[in-house]
C-alpha cells in the first residue's frame, strides 16, 4: 500500500455503478488523474477504464501448480522407486497411473494456496492491515472515486466541478 | 451495462436496492439471536455433546463396540463417511461449475452451500478418524519421514489417494469460501457499532476496501479457483469410489463407480442444500433472495442427477448379468432379493422413483414437496451407500463365513454425533456470517431484480431506464 501520510484527497461519492463507470472516462478526459475507485461489488470494465494493467496472477497460479506437480512427482519417485521399491505382480515399482491422483491433488492444492497468497500479498491484504477507507459506505451501497490532489495539477475547485458534472452525488475532502 | 433477456424471471424479488441487500442480510448477524435459532442451537449442542461422549467411548473401548464382524468389516462408519463427502459436493459445484457456466442463480445460495461443504467434509473426516480406532496415529496416513526407517505410505492405495483428495478438497473449499467472505466481512466491519465486532470482523476482512484493482484481481482468482475446483469436485468422489472399485469384491469392482458416485454426490448434496436453504429462508426471512426460481433450478439438477443415478443402478444390473461372472450376478440378485432387500428397495424408491415427481412443475415449485423429497433423497443416498457396502460384504466367496450386520447403539450414536456437529457448525455460521453473498447479489440485482424500485427511480414497474439508481439514499 502506498504511503498516503499527509495526503489530501477529493472523494466523489456516486449512487450508481453505471454512473461511476461512465464518470471514470469523463474525469480522465478532463485531465484528472484518478487514484482509485472503490465499490461494494466488482464492476466489469472499471479497471480497464481507470487504466490499471491486466493482472499477471494467472502466471503465478500456473507456476505454483507446476511446483505442486513436480513436488509430488519427486516424492512418489523418491519413496516408491528409490527409497523402498516394491515389485508387485512383476510390475515396475513406479506405476505412473497410480500416482496421477495424488499428483493432481497436489497441483490443485499448490495452485489454490499459492495464488490466493499472491493475491493477498499483491493487494496488501492481511489480518493486521488497517483498511484505507475513503468512505465507509463504499462497502455498502456507494461508489467512491478518489483523487489525490497532490498528484494533480488542477485546483480543488476545478476537480470538484469535474466530479459534480460527472454525476457525483457528494464531493468530500479526505485527509490521511 | 446491465442487459438481460425479458424472458428471464427475476432472481431477486421485492424491488431490492443495494442498501436493502446489506440491511436484509446483515440483520441476523448484527441483531440478537432469534428464539428459533436459540432452540435449534440448543438441540444441536446437546446432540453434539452426547455424540462426542459416544465417539470418545468408541475410541476408549475400541471398534469392537460397533456391530462389525469378520465378514462385514466396513458398515455404518464408511457409509456415513461416503454419504457426508457426497453431501459436501454440492457446495463446490454451485460455487465453481455454476460460476463457470455463468449461472446467476448461484449468487443467493453459494455462500450457504459452500459452508455446508466445509461442515460436511468435517463430518466425513470425523468418520475417518473414528474408523482409525487410534486417531492419534492419524499422522501415519501422511508421507512423513518417521522413525521406522524407510516406511512410507503406499501411493498405490486408493485409501492414500483419499487422504490427499479429501484434505485438498477441504483446504481448497475453505479457501474459496473464506475468500468469498472477505468483501462481505468488510461490509459488516464498516457497519459495526461495537468495538469488539469491528475488531473481529476487521481482522477477518483482511483490510479489504474494495478498490477497482483489488476487485479485478479478485474476480480473476475466483475464476481460476472455480476452474481448478471443478475437476477437484469430480476427482474427490471418483477417488472415494475407487476405495471400492479397485477391490475384487463382487458388487464393488465396477468401472461405472466413478461417474455414478459423482452423480450421487451431487444428487444428495443438492438435496441437503435445499433442506438447509428452505429453513434458512424462512427463519431469516430471505424469501426475496431465495425465490421459487432458485428452488426450481436446484430441483431440476436433482432430477437430472437422480436420473443419472437411476440409470447407473440399471447399468450395474445389466453388466452383472452380461459379465457372466456368477459371483457378480449373485451379488446383485442378493441385493434386490436377499436379506437386505428392504434397504435396496428403500434406495430404489427414494433415489430413482421419488425425484421423478419433480417433472411436475407444481411439485418442483412447491416448498413442502421440495423439502420432503429432499429429505427422502438424502435418506435414499444413505441407503445406497449402505447397500453397496454391506450387501457386498455380507456374502463373500466362502458361504461358511456369510454373516449379517446389525448396528449397535454406538454405530447409531456416532452417526448422530455427525448431525450434532454439522448443525452446530451451520447454525454458528448462520448467526455470525452473512448466509447470502451480498456483493454477488448486488452485482446481479440490476439485471435480475423483479422491478426497478419506484421509490428511488421514479419509474413504474417494468419500465426500462437508462441510468437507474439503485440507492435508497439517492436524491
Amino acid at each position: 500500500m502506498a504511503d498516503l501520510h499527509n495526503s489530501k484527497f477529493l472523494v466523489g461519492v456516486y449512487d450508481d455503478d453505471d454512473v461511476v463507470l461512465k464518470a471514470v472516462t469523463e474525469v480522465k478526459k478532463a485531465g484528472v488523474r484518478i487514484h482509485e475507485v472503490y465499490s461494494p461489488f466488482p464492476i466489469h470494465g472499471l479497471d480497464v477504464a481507470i487504466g490499471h494493467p491486466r493482472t499477471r496472477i494467472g502466471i503465478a497460479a500456473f507456476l505454483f501448480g507446476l511446483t505442486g506437480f513436480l513436488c509430488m512427482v519427486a516424492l512418489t519417485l523418491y519413496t516408491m522407486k528409490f527409497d523402498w521399491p516394491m515389485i508387485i505382480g512383476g510390475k515396475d515399482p513406479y506405476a505412473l497411473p497410480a500416482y496421477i491422483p495424488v499428483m493432481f491433488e497436489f497441483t490443485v492444492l499448490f495452485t489454490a494456496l499459492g495464488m490466493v497468497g499472491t493475491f493477498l500479498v499483491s493487494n496488501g491484504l492481511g489480518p493486521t492491515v488497517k483498511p484505507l477507507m475513503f468512505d465507509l459506505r463504499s462497502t455498502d451501497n456507494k461508489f467512491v472515486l478518489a483523487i489525490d490532489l497532490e498528484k494533480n495539477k488542477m485546483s480543488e475547485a476545478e476537480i470538484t466541478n469535474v466530479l459534480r458534472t460527472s454525476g457525483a452525488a457528494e464531493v468530500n475532502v479526505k485527509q490521511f | 451495462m446491465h442487459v438481460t433477456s425479458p424472458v428471464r424471471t427475476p432472481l431477486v424479488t421485492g424491488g431490492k436496492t443495494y442498501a436493502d441487500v446489506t440491511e436484509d442480510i446483515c440483520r441476523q448477524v448484527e441483531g440478537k439471536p432469534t428464539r428459533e435459532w436459540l432452540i435449534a442451537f440448543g438441540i444441536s449442542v446437546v446432540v453434539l455433546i452426547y455424540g462426542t461422549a459416544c465417539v470418545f467411548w468408541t475410541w476408549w473401548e475400541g471398534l469392537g463396540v460397533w456391530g462389525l464382524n469378520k465378514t462385514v468389516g466396513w458398515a455404518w462408519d464408511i457409509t456415513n463417511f461416503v454419504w457426508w463427502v457426497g453431501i459436501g459436493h454440492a457446495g463446490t459445484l454451485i460455487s465453481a461449475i455454476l460460476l463457470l457456466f455463468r449461472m446467476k442463480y448461484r449468487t443467493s445460495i453459494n455462500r450457504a452451500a459452500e459452508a455446508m461443504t466445509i461442515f460436511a467434509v468435517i463430518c466425513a473426516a470425523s468418520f475417518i478418524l473414528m474408523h482409525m480406532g487410534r486417531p492419534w496415529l492419524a499422522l501415519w496416513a501422511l508421507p512423513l519421514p518417521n522413525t521406522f526407517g524407510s516406511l512410507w505410505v503406499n501411493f498405490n492405495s486408493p485409501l492414500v489417494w483419499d487422504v490427499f483428495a479429501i484434505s485438498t478438497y477441504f483446504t481448497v473449499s475453505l479457501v474459496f469460501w473464506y475468500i468469498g467472505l472477505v468483501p462481505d466481512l468488510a461490509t459488516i466491519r464498516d457497519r459495526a457499532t461495537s468495538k469488539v465486532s469491528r475488531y473481529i470482523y476487521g481482522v477477518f476482512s483482511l483490510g479489504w476496501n474494495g478498490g477497482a484493482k483489488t476487485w479485478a484481481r479478485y474476480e480473476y482468482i475466483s475464476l481460476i479457483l472455480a476452474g481448478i475446483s471443478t475437476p477437484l469436485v469430480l476427482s474427490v468422489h471418483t477417488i472415494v469410489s475407487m476405495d471400492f472399485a479397485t477391490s475384487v469384491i463382487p458388487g464393488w469392482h465396477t468401472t461405472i463407480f466413478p461417474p455414478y458416485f459423482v452423480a450421487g454426490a451431487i444428487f444428495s448434496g443438492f438435496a441437503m442444500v435445499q433442506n438447509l436453504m428452505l429453513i434458512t429462508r424462512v427463519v431469516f426471512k430471505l424469501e426475496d433472495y431465495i425465490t421459487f426460481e432458485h428452488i426450481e433450478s436446484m430441483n431440476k439438477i436433482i432430477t437430472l442427477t437422480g436420473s443419472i443415478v437411476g440409470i447407473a443402478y440399471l447399468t450395474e444390473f445389466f453388466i452383472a448379468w452380461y459379465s457372466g461372472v456368477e459371483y457378480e450376478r449373485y451379488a446383485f440378485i442378493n441385493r434386490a432379493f436377499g436379506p437386505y432387500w428392504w434397504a435396496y428397495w428403500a434406495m430404489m424408491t427414494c433415489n430413482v422413483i421419488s425425484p421423478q415427481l419433480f417433472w411436475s412443475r407444481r411439485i418442483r415449485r412447491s416448498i413442502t414437496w421440495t423439502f420432503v423429497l429432499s429429505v427422502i433423497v438424502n435418506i435414499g443416498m444413505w441407503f445406497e451407500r449402505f447397500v453397496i457396502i454391506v450387501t457386498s460384504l455380507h456374502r463373500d466367496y466362502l458361504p461358511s463365513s456369510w454373516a449379517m450386520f446389525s448396528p449397535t447403539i454406538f454405530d447409531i450414536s456416532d452417526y448422530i454425533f455427525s448431525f450434532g456437529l454439522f448443525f452446530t457448525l451451520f447454525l454458528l455460521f448462520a448467526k455470525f456470517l452473512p448466509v447470502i453473498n451480498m456483493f454477488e447479489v448486488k452485482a446481479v440485482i440490476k439485471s435480475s431484480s423483479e422491478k426497478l424500485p419506484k421509490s428511488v427511480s421514479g419509474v413504474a414497474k417494468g419500465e426500462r431506464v437508462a441510468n437507474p439508481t439503485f440507492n435508497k439514499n439517492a436524491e
Side-chain angles (χ1 to χ4, degrees):
Chain A
M1 195 61 69
D3 182 22
L4 298 168
H5 192 63
N6 276 336
S7 300
K8 194 179 176 187
F9 286 86
L10 263 189
V11 180
V13 181
Y14 295 77
D15 287 328
D16 195 275
D17 45 332
D18 288 333
V19 178
V20 83
L21 186 58
K22 224 171 114 207
V24 166
T25 321
E26 286 171 19
V27 169
K28 272 179 74 181
K29 218 174 179 181
V32 180
R33 200 174 154 192
I34 298 168
H35 171 70
E36 183 60 294
V37 177
Y38 301 89
S39 61
F41 55 85
I43 303 169
H44 290 167
L46 186 62
D47 54 318
V48 178
I50 298 169
H52 289 318
R54 191 182 151 82
T55 175
R56 287 172 296 172
I57 220 161
I59 299 168
F62 174 77
L63 294 176
F64 279 114
L66 189 65
T67 310
F69 173 75
L70 293 176
C71 277
M72 195 39 92
V73 169
L75 184 65
T76 47
L77 256 180
Y78 171 68
T79 58
M80 307 303 284
K81 174 95 177 171
F82 296 110
D83 199 41
W84 195 255
M86 279 189 291
I87 298 167
I88 300 163
K91 286 179 239 165
D92 188 291
Y94 199 68
L96 187 67
Y99 309 131
I100 289 172
V102 286
M103 288 171 186
F104 170 75
E105 302 297 335
F106 248 47
T107 308
V108 170
L109 185 68
F110 272 56
T111 308
L113 294 181
M115 180 178 64
V116 172
T118 310
F119 167 76
L120 296 179
V121 171
S122 61
N123 286 303
L125 298 175
T128 54
V129 174
K130 206 174 169 292
L132 186 75
M133 296 302 290
F134 289 88
D135 193 315
L136 286 182
R137 296 169 297 173
S138 70
T139 52
D140 180 3
N141 62 340
K142 299 282 183 182
F143 304 85
V144 167
L145 198 155
I147 289 160
D148 191 342
L149 281 173
E150 282 168 25
K151 289 189 179 163
N152 277 288
K153 285 174 189 157
M154 289 163 82
S155 71
E156 193 177 321
E158 282 173 319
I159 298 175
T160 306
N161 193 35
V162 171
L163 289 175
R164 284 273 182 210
T165 322
S166 70
E170 297 168 30
V171 179
N172 306 318
V173 176
K174 181 92 181 173
Q175 182 99 37
F176 283 98
Chain B
M1 282 294 166
H2 300 274
V3 179
T4 191
S5 164
V7 298
R8 295 236 182 263
T9 39
L11 291 176
V12 180
T13 56
K16 298 291 179 187
T17 63
Y18 297 142
D20 289 336
V21 175
T22 315
E23 207 57 50
D24 292 346
I25 314 295
C26 289
R27 193 182 302 123
Q28 42 87 18
V29 179
E30 293 165 349
K32 281 188 179 163
T34 58
R35 208 167 60 98
E36 292 97 330
W37 185 87
L38 284 171
I39 294 169
F41 187 67
I43 295 169
S44 302
V45 169
V46 170
V47 171
L48 178 62
I49 291 169
Y50 165 74
T52 308
C54 292
V55 170
F56 274 97
W57 189 254
T58 307
W59 283 331
W60 184 259
E61 282 290 295
L63 298 189
V65 297
W66 284 344
L68 303 176
N69 51 54
K70 279 185 185 170
T71 308
V72 186
W74 273 3
W76 273 45
D77 45 336
I78 298 293
T79 301
N80 298 339
F81 159 69
V82 181
W83 186 71
W84 276 117
V85 172
I87 282 175
H89 279 57
T92 320
L93 187 105
I94 289 171
S95 320
I97 298 180
L98 298 188
L99 176 71
L100 293 180
F101 285 159
R102 299 276 185 257
M103 290 289 182
K104 283 182 181 172
Y105 80 85
R106 60 177 278 287
T107 53
S108 290
I109 50 173
N110 63 351
R111 172 73 47 75
E114 285 166 31
M116 183 197 76
T117 292
I118 313 272
F119 306 146
V121 175
I122 290 173
C123 290
S126 73
F127 282 101
I128 301 275
L129 285 177
M130 280 181 225
H131 198 250
M132 283 178 170
R134 288 179 285 173
W136 50 93
L137 300 180
L139 282 176
W140 288 9
L142 301 173
L144 297 170
N146 53 60
T147 52
F148 300 120
S150 295
L151 184 66
W152 295 101
V153 294
N154 180 10
F155 283 106
N156 290 297
S157 162
L159 294 178
V160 169
W161 305 345
D162 250 355
V163 173
F164 283 85
I166 305 284
S167 48
T168 299
Y169 184 53
F170 178 73
T171 313
V172 174
S173 301
L174 191 67
V175 167
F176 206 166
W177 180 62
Y178 178 60
I179 285 296
L181 266 168
V182 168
D184 285 359
L185 293 176
T187 307
I188 301 172
R189 172 200 68 201
D190 292 341
R191 288 165 54 91
T193 46
S194 82
K195 256 188 176 177
V196 177
S197 58
R198 196 176 309 136
Y199 176 75
I200 293 172
Y201 287 108
V203 167
F204 285 103
S205 61
L206 307 175
W208 180 272
N209 61 4
K213 193 188 275 180
T214 314
W215 273 126
R217 286 175 179 157
Y218 183 88
E219 288 223 283
Y220 199 85
I221 68 161
S222 297
L223 206 62
I224 296 180
L225 273 175
I228 58 172
S229 298
T230 302
L232 187 65
V233 173
L234 306 181
S235 84
V236 172
H237 228 57
T238 296
I239 290 172
V240 169
S241 81
M242 285 172 180
D243 292 347
F244 304 101
T246 54
S247 75
V248 290
I249 306 288
W252 286 5
H253 188 57
T254 60
T255 47
I256 201 175
F257 262 20
Y260 155 35
F261 266 50
V262 171
I266 297 164
F267 182 49
S268 60
F270 267 77
M272 189 61 109
V273 172
Q274 287 283 35
N275 285 335
L276 292 174
M277 295 316 284
L278 289 177
I279 297 170
T280 308
R281 78 192 279 277
V282 175
V283 174
F284 295 139
K285 297 179 178 57
L286 297 171
E287 288 89 347
D288 284 328
Y289 299 92
I290 304 158
T291 63
F292 288 104
E293 283 312 306
H294 295 91
I295 293 163
E296 190 180 6
S297 300
M298 285 195 281
N299 282 338
K300 283 177 184 169
I301 293 186
I302 289 177
T303 316
L304 172 72
T305 46
S307 304
I308 295 174
V309 166
I311 289 169
Y313 294 161
L314 298 179
T315 310
E316 269 192 322
F317 246 93
F318 172 75
I319 294 296
W321 166 77
Y322 189 66
S323 68
V325 180
E326 59 179 323
Y327 300 106
E328 201 70 35
R329 277 186 195 178
Y330 176 76
F332 281 88
I333 292 167
N334 181 51
R335 269 184 195 178
F337 305 108
Y340 287 107
W341 64 269
W342 48 272
Y344 180 82
W345 292 106
M347 166 189 103
M348 286 301 257
T349 313
C350 297
N351 290 351
V352 183
I353 300 164
S354 75
Q356 300 307 321
L357 293 172
F358 282 137
W359 285 101
S360 154
R361 189 166 189 267
R362 199 172 61 81
I363 292 177
R364 215 161 55 218
R365 292 177 75 89
S366 155
I367 304 286
T368 317
W369 273 104
T370 302
F371 192 82
V372 170
L373 287 175
S374 298
V375 172
I376 288 174
V377 164
N378 271 319
I379 294 170
M381 284 308 291
W382 189 88
F383 271 113
E384 183 201 289
R385 273 69 202 228
F386 177 81
V387 165
I388 290 172
I389 293 162
V390 174
T391 64
S392 290
L393 286 176
H394 89 124
R395 294 278 184 266
D396 65 7
Y397 291 104
L398 278 178
S400 59
S401 61
W402 286 4
M404 294 293 285
F405 168 80
S406 321
T408 65
I409 187 73
F410 288 98
D411 282 295
I412 298 164
S413 302
D414 292 349
Y415 184 39
I416 290 173
F417 156 82
S418 63
F419 280 102
L421 180 64
F422 180 80
F423 284 107
T424 304
L425 291 170
F426 192 83
L427 286 162
L428 284 172
F429 153 75
K431 176 65 196 81
F432 295 106
L433 296 169
V435 286
I436 287 181
N437 195 327
M438 289 190 279
F439 82 85
E440 287 201 7
V441 169
K442 286 175 193 170
V444 301
I445 198 171
K446 264 190 187 174
S447 56
S448 307
S449 186
E450 184 185 37
K451 58 176 182 174
L452 301 174
K454 193 178 180 208
S455 58
V456 295
S457 64
V459 292
K461 180 183 176 181
E463 191 182 329
R464 305 291 298 189
V465 287
N467 286 323
T469 305
F470 268 70
N471 199 302
K472 244 188 171 174
N473 311 317
E475 287 166 25

